[in-house]
Amino acid sequence: MDQDEQRLHASSFGAAAVAYAEHRPDYAHAAVHWALEGAPGRRVLDLGAGTGKLTATLAELGIDAIAVEPDPAMLSELRRSLPTVRALSGSAEAIPLPDASVDAVLAGNAMHWFDMAVAGPEIARVLRPGGVLAGLWNVMDDRVAWVAGLARVSGAAAIGPRDTPASWRVETAAAHLPKESGQARFGSPEQELFPHGQLRTADSLVATLATRAGMLVMPDGEREAALRRIRDFLATEPETAEGEFALPMLTGVLRTRRL
């Protein structure tokens, strides 16, 4: 994906902010605990916070969270749903916080959008010594047969290379580093996966997949055709044809520390 396409995908979510807030999953509590293991304190920045899916999980766990999000529509939805959380307009490349002001920086399904050549030094700036940087991604467990079938039918625009466990490890292994050679700001990364099933219906799963960036930037006709294929597939699978079902998911975490 070239830079122009990257920017198009990254900026696509605002138009679907309400649907994103309603249908995107939260994050496994065990994954958040592991992400923050060894952080020097409990003040955490949720960077690229979107509508606050990860921010809400941090708040549930009693963590002092600050949210930063560049898209006005996403930020407005976050402020509406989490009125007691400090939520600021800003980006990974321009964080509106003082030096050494947080113990950890977490990014939920967002780190792959950061320009780490710029964002890396910014994140290091706001982190206290020994602070943690962690990216979290929710992935579908395609080791389950019907999920693997769904991935094939959906195509990469809906279930892409970061969205299944094995390829997630490869795709995110260097997410904390700039794409071009540059000064290292962080230590060696660790990766771990945590079970995180979600209750869905066929309709709500289709709605969730419709909020993926690749789907949002599709021409209307192509998007409707892709969503129709997904609906038809779910209608034929015994696990998903009727009522609620558990969508097998995992929360993957990439964790590293400020040098």
Side-chain angles (χ1 to χ4, degrees), residues 35 43 69 77 148-149 163 231:
R43 194 164 200 230
E69 166 58 35
E77 188 63 30
D163 298 326
R231 287 191 192 94

Side-chain angles (χ1 to χ4, degrees), residues 8-10 12-13 16 19-20 23-25 109 112-113 137-141 147 150-151 154-164 200 205-218 223 227 230 247-250:
L8 176 64
H9 280 67
S12 65
F13 297 110
Y20 192 106
H23 296 295
R24 282 293 185 104
N109 276 81
H112 51 278
W113 300 122
W137 289 265
N138 281 317
V139 302
M140 294 188 182
D141 192 351
V147 179
L150 175 64
S154 299
I159 302 179
R162 285 182 302 271
D163 298 326
T164 54
R200 288 287 184 266
L205 181 50
V206 169
T208 300
L209 294 175
T211 67
R212 298 294 178 89
M215 301 294 287
L216 291 171
V217 300
M218 270 187 182
R223 182 170 59 253
L227 294 174
I230 295 168
L247 173 63
M249 294 187 70
L250 302 154

